[in-house]
Amino acid sequence: MSQYLSLAFLVLSFMSSTTAQTPSLGLPPLIDRAIFFDDPEISGAQLSPDGKWLTFMKPYSADPAQEGERNIWIKAIDEDFEAARPLTANNRPIPGYFWSHDAKYIMYVQDAGGDENYHVYAIDPSGKTEQLPTPRALTSGENVRAQITSVPRSNPKVMYVGLNDRDPQFHDLYEVSIADGSKKLIYQNDENLSSYTFDHTGKLRIATKSNEAGGTEVYAFGADQSLSKIYECTVDESCYPTEFDAKNERVYFVSNHGDIDKTQLLLLDPNTGATELVEKDPEGEVDFGGAITSDLTHELLGTVYVGDKRRIYWRDKTWEADYKFLESKLPGSEVSTGSSTADERKMLVYANSDTDPGATYLFDRDSRELTFLYRPRPELPTESLANMTPVRYPSSDGLEIPAYLTLPKGIDAKRLPLVMLIHGGPWARDNWGYDGFAQFLANRGYAVLQPNFRSSTGFGKAFLNAGNGEWGKLMQDDITAGVDYLVSQGIVDKRRVGIMGGSYGGYATLAGVAFTPDVYAAGVSIVGPSNLITLLESIPAYWASFKKQMFVRMADPETEEGRQWLAERSPLNSADKITAPLLIAQGANDPRVKQAESDQIVVAMRDLSRPVEYLVAPDEGHGFRRPENNMAMIAAIEKFFAAHLGGRYQPDMPDNIAKRLKEITVDPASVVLPKGLTAEELKNDRPTPVHPLAVGTHKYAATMKMGPQEMKMDIVEEVSEASGFYTVKTTMEGSGMSASDEVLLSKDGLVPQSRKSMQGPAEINLGYESGAVTGTLSMGGNNIPVQADFDGELFSDGPAEGLTFAAL
């Protein structure tokens, strides 16, 4: 940092600290960032189906010296929260959980360090109160991602789970026993299906897949699991099944196929493919937003649409009366319902608003008793929070952009510093309601605009498709137009505009400072891609079902024209035009936006002598979930924006957060791209196969001798290929023993992906990443972790070793 910038930062820091203590300026008191972003005291409550228990999420650590992570707790429904006991002691926050329908088990999912290879675990909550139950892994495997497809009410002992253990790109379907984890193959996905729909009896009835053009095809299962296509929509349209109707004959179906702009709710007959319109937005404003159905009767109770705010249209008068009663008891709040007892007579109710993260209540429908349970952030002074206002403004080509504006409370909305807060996706949208980042920034004195730029979902296919081919162009213009709109209104000081976002929002940040350098004074990119070519070449294998859709909405990297398009819209290639300081945050295990995406732009900024700060959390993936990492990142963002935009700043922080911030802060001078290669050259930094592996089966007779003993062995080597991968498997049998060894290789470079070896009671599962091999050795009920780090590219030994080297 230059001497001038250092002096400027000292001045701004002093002004920020002084402002925080100057009520005359009108801003509310500075709210501690921990109140906004630390783990909620209590969250995620669920009722057990029998109504006896309440479970919830709360930080817990088995080690009193360690700060706890978000874990599952349980209490009797009539007990105080102080009487609750923990059920898990994970050292990574649990992202979600649910009860089995018979109330015997609680299931949750967890990945490792943010790699998004989720597995399903079950716990028995009925154990002794003085010790935690032992979680049972219902799914397992390195580099395997489990997807819960259905938890049938008709058979509460099982769930249906998709596993990509055979083919990394597509999930086979298994019936998994919740009691012991045993599984039975229901459907081997040789047809590259992307989703499954069961009826109310647990019968597999519907599936979808992406076709070669990127469109969606809908199939009905026959009695012999044969598939018949019953519906189809193009890549520019949306169509998907939800759940079967009360008669269990037709499936509720959402579609905008044909000359329809906004999705509608239909009923689709699996036998004929015929559809019947159920409902479309009565105001003609937005897409169909969701159905409210009864888990008990499967009747359609109401429908939801989300425009500027949420609208509900009730079809069941009893439920409508209950909802209106709740609204009368919770005025000024947006009311929604959560889990319920199996008979749907008691349920959880949530009430929140744009200035209130909410409260949770227990509602007895028979007695009309509404009982307060908890607030997730009870220390948050809601009276100091700012309103979120829906706004509209025109983009450069006249397209109307819906957005949400949050202005600091207590001061005039004139010449304020602005933070453009850009959502990820980009095929997603922002909604009205409580937003922690928007409120935090407003409390620091910033105006905050959250634009639903073209390509955002929910506003019809014309609005969505207007973003096709417009990354870094019209999609970015929609964001820039929001800045221009607020400047023209006198609300924002054009010299103090920042931009921030995660994932696509991180890309938009980098694109903003690179393609419109005169607009922004600072940018914060969280897990944002800098090079669209390397982004698309490194997407997870299990994204195969919608990869073609990404190519259509962006560009095809497999064509010369597509690569040129991607290169032009990659901020990395315009790094020399960036003048605004950047703060980059990245999870080291991110499977979607690899760390190389951030490394590349950091190196480019450094080599251009442009100001850049870099945070890398070694135990995170696509975004930060651990509270320590998240709090450290937010403290850095707050200080960064204070220095460059002039907002308020809280200089103090707990010792553990300060320590963690120091640990994840990376000196840009230390970032090294392998061998100094460019991002384009990186993918070629490996010996290239000169011919493909020969697909087929080879059988050998072998004799193993050890001293006087001799063992005859039959060896079978199988090489198969599917969707860009080779599988090489060797099995050996003879003299009462058997063993197998299987390796998965990418066809491009024969790069090892995973390896599974089995001999007797021993099983080894390995996963290969750049420079490392990780996995588990399992034997006799013991799981021993395997971790080996290497400085360089990896080739697999075992069954693929000879074939790999022979092919080079």
Side-chain angles (χ1 to χ4, degrees):
M1 182 179 286
S2 69
Q3 185 177 8
Y4 172 78
L5 286 174
S6 299
L7 178 61
F9 175 70
L10 289 174
V11 172
L12 286 169
S13 296
F14 174 77
M15 289 174 60
S16 300
S17 300
T18 304
T19 301
Q21 302 172 24
T22 310
S24 59
L25 291 179
L27 284 170
L30 202 69
I31 301 172
D32 192 304
R33 70 176 75 89
I35 296 177
F36 283 109
F37 295 111
D38 207 355
D39 257 346
E41 288 192 16
I42 300 173
S43 62
Q46 296 214 16
L47 277 175
S48 62
D50 57 10
K52 296 179 180 179
W53 304 97
L54 182 78
T55 46
F56 56 91
M57 306 286 279
K58 180 181 177 180
Y60 174 74
S61 173
D63 183 355
Q66 298 291 324
E67 191 162 321
E69 302 285 2
R70 198 162 54 248
N71 276 281
I72 304 171
W73 293 63
I74 189 170
K75 75 178 191 70
I77 193 67
D78 55 355
E79 286 183 322
D80 293 333
F81 279 91
E82 289 74 15
R85 57 187 171 94
L87 290 175
T88 60
N90 289 17
N91 58 9
R92 181 168 176 79
I94 293 176
Y97 74 96
F98 58 95
W99 282 86
S100 62
H101 287 297
D102 57 9
K104 290 184 177 180
Y105 300 100
I106 293 170
M107 281 77 71
Y108 67 91
V109 296
Q110 187 63 280
D111 67 351
D115 65 3
E116 297 188 11
N117 287 322
Y118 291 102
H119 283 295
V120 186
Y121 298 84
I123 47 179
D124 181 351
S126 64
K128 297 179 180 179
T129 57
E130 65 268 19
Q131 64 186 69
L132 273 68
T134 302
R136 286 180 293 98
L138 300 184
T139 64
S140 61
E142 294 293 326
N143 296 319
V144 175
R145 177 184 171 98
Q147 294 180 342
I148 299 174
T149 300
S150 177
V151 185
R153 192 181 179 112
S154 59
N155 186 359
K157 296 181 180 181
V158 303
M159 67 171 64
Y160 296 105
V161 178
L163 295 174
N164 62 340
D165 51 353
R166 183 183 58 86
D167 183 341
Q169 298 184 95
F170 298 99
H171 288 68
D172 297 331
L173 193 60
Y174 291 87
E175 180 183 274
V176 178
S177 167
I178 298 174
D180 60 18
S182 60
K183 65 180 188 289
K184 178 175 67 175
L185 181 65
I186 298 298
Y187 182 78
Q188 181 167 305
N189 188 10
D190 295 321
E191 297 295 330
N192 299 344
L193 303 178
S194 54
S195 76
Y196 306 94
T197 303
F198 291 78
D199 68 13
H200 303 316
T201 66
K203 182 180 179 181
L204 182 59
R205 299 275 297 276
I206 301 287
T208 67
K209 67 180 292 185
S210 295
N211 57 31
E212 289 297 318
T216 301
E217 297 176 353
V218 183
Y219 291 85
F221 280 97
D224 57 352
Q225 290 195 336
S226 60
L227 295 170
S228 57
K229 186 164 66 174
I230 56 173
Y231 198 93
E232 184 175 2
C233 60
T234 70
V235 67
D236 289 328
E237 300 171 333
S238 299
C239 61
Y240 56 91
T242 58
E243 60 183 295
F244 274 79
D245 65 0
K247 294 181 179 180
N248 208 33
E249 295 174 351
R250 296 185 291 175
V251 67
Y252 284 111
F253 194 77
V254 180
S255 177
N256 58 9
H257 175 55
D259 59 356
I260 299 168
D261 180 52
K262 297 173 178 63
T263 55
Q264 303 174 349
L265 181 64
L266 312 172
L267 276 170
L268 172 69
D269 188 336
N271 297 316
T272 65
T275 61
E276 176 187 341
L277 176 65
V278 177
E279 190 178 275
K280 58 184 178 181
D281 183 7
E283 297 188 13
E285 178 190 17
V286 291
D287 289 327
F288 174 76
I292 303 172
T293 58
S294 167
D295 287 338
L296 188 62
T297 67
H298 307 295
E299 294 285 345
L300 180 63
L301 306 174
T303 53
V304 179
Y305 298 87
V306 183
D308 286 344
K309 296 183 180 180
R310 186 193 67 183
R311 293 180 269 117
I312 299 179
Y313 296 89
W314 290 99
R315 290 170 167 256
D316 185 283
K317 296 301 181 183
T318 302
W319 282 81
E320 181 178 21
D322 287 342
Y323 185 78
K324 289 183 176 179
F325 170 78
L326 293 170
E327 285 187 316
S328 70
K329 294 295 184 180
L330 303 166
S333 297
E334 193 169 82
V335 177
S336 56
T337 57
S339 68
S340 70
T341 53
D343 60 5
E344 295 185 341
R345 303 317 302 168
K346 293 181 180 179
M347 63 184 57
L348 297 182
V349 172
Y350 312 115
N352 52 41
S353 71
D354 56 342
T355 58
D356 187 352
T360 299
Y361 301 83
L362 176 65
F363 178 47
D364 187 320
R365 296 180 66 199
D366 296 323
S367 66
R368 287 290 179 96
E369 182 179 5
L370 185 66
T371 305
F372 171 80
L373 294 178
Y374 65 86
R375 300 185 69 86
R377 300 190 182 276
E379 296 182 16
L380 188 64
T382 56
E383 70 280 359
S384 296
L385 300 187
N387 291 116
M388 175 187 282
T389 304
V391 295
R392 296 281 196 281
Y393 61 85
S395 188
S396 59
D397 61 350
L399 186 66
E400 185 179 71
I401 306 302
Y404 295 99
L405 177 63
T406 304
L407 296 173
K409 188 171 184 177
I411 58 176
D412 290 337
K414 294 180 180 179
R415 298 183 61 78
L416 298 171
L418 167 69
V419 174
M420 297 293 292
L421 187 56
I422 313 303
H423 70 69
W427 308 291
R429 63 160 291 176
D430 279 314
N431 295 285
W432 183 89
Y434 178 79
D435 186 294
F437 260 117
Q439 292 297 337
F440 170 70
L441 292 167
N443 180 257
R444 270 49 181 168
Y446 303 103
V448 182
L449 188 69
Q450 297 170 267
N452 281 314
F453 45 86
R454 74 190 70 200
S455 270
S456 298
T457 54
F459 303 97
K461 67 184 177 187
F463 190 85
L464 175 67
N465 296 335
N468 289 357
E470 296 297 343
W471 281 50
K473 295 294 184 179
L474 286 176
M475 288 170 66
Q476 202 67 33
D477 286 351
D478 295 347
I479 297 169
T480 307
V483 178
D484 295 339
Y485 167 74
L486 294 178
V487 170
S488 70
Q489 298 294 308
I491 296 173
V492 164
D493 179 356
K494 68 178 182 179
R495 298 169 301 176
R496 295 191 293 160
V497 178
I499 183 169
M500 168 183 167
S503 194
Y504 177 84
Y507 165 82
T509 294
L510 298 176
V513 297
F515 304 148
T516 53
D518 295 335
V519 175
Y520 299 105
V524 175
S525 171
I526 304 170
V527 297
S530 64
N531 184 335
L532 299 183
I533 293 176
T534 53
L535 170 73
L536 291 181
E537 288 179 341
S538 62
I539 59 176
Y542 50 81
W543 284 21
S545 62
F546 55 91
K547 183 169 68 173
K548 186 64 177 181
Q549 297 176 27
M550 294 180 67
F551 290 177
V552 170
R553 297 200 182 279
M554 296 172 66
D556 189 343
E558 297 173 359
T559 67
E560 182 177 347
E561 180 183 10
R563 293 182 76 84
Q564 181 179 350
W565 184 100
L566 293 166
E568 289 175 354
R569 288 155 175 79
S570 294
L572 178 66
N573 297 327
S574 295
D576 60 326
K577 297 181 175 60
I578 300 175
T579 57
L582 274 176
L583 190 156
I584 309 292
Q586 178 69 44
N589 303 319
D590 192 339
R592 309 184 194 190
V593 178
K594 304 289 188 181
Q595 183 177 331
E597 293 297 320
S598 292
D599 284 350
Q600 293 175 82
I601 192 68
V602 168
V603 167
M605 292 286 286
R606 177 201 67 198
D607 292 349
L608 290 164
S609 299
R610 305 292 164 79
V612 61
E613 299 176 32
Y614 195 20
L615 307 177
V616 178
D619 50 354
E620 296 287 8
H622 198 60
F624 290 7
R625 276 175 42 198
R626 295 194 62 223
E628 272 192 339
N629 293 330
N630 198 42
M631 290 289 294
M633 178 185 69
I634 290 163
I637 292 171
E638 181 184 5
K639 183 177 181 179
F640 177 82
F641 275 147
H644 301 296
L645 302 181
R648 300 197 294 180
Y649 169 58
Q650 175 189 343
D652 61 291
M653 66 184 76
D655 291 343
N656 67 313
I657 302 302
K659 178 175 180 288
R660 190 55 176 163
L661 178 56
K662 185 177 180 180
E663 291 171 344
I664 67 174
T665 298
V666 176
D667 182 355
S670 69
V671 181
V672 178
L673 297 179
K675 297 183 181 179
L677 297 177
T678 66
E680 178 63 21
E681 292 168 329
L682 281 175
K683 64 187 179 64
N684 296 319
D685 184 28
R686 182 182 180 89
T688 303
V690 296
H691 62 79
L693 299 191
V695 175
T697 300
H698 310 279
K699 298 181 180 180
Y700 307 93
T703 302
M704 183 181 299
K705 292 184 178 181
M706 184 178 296
Q709 296 189 0
E710 189 174 280
M711 182 184 299
K712 300 291 185 180
M713 302 289 295
D714 292 322
I715 301 175
V716 178
E717 180 185 77
E718 300 174 88
V719 180
S720 60
E721 64 174 316
S723 304
F725 293 89
Y726 288 116
T727 298
V728 182
K729 183 177 182 180
T730 298
T731 57
M732 297 180 290
E733 295 186 355
S735 300
M737 65 89 65
S738 65
S740 67
D741 200 344
E742 181 177 310
V743 174
L744 181 72
L745 304 169
S746 68
K747 293 179 70 175
D748 180 13
L750 299 181
V751 182
Q753 308 293 306
S754 63
R755 181 178 176 188
K756 182 177 182 180
S757 300
M758 299 181 67
Q759 181 172 344
E763 178 176 333
I764 301 176
N765 286 281
L766 300 177
Y768 297 80
E769 299 177 1
S770 180
V773 179
T774 59
T776 306
L777 166 62
S778 303
M779 188 168 69
N782 296 316
N783 293 321
I784 302 172
V786 175
Q787 173 72 45
D789 297 312
F790 300 93
D791 182 17
E793 287 283 348
L794 298 177
F795 286 91
S796 176
D797 60 355
E801 182 177 25
L803 293 172
T804 298
F805 283 103
L808 297 180

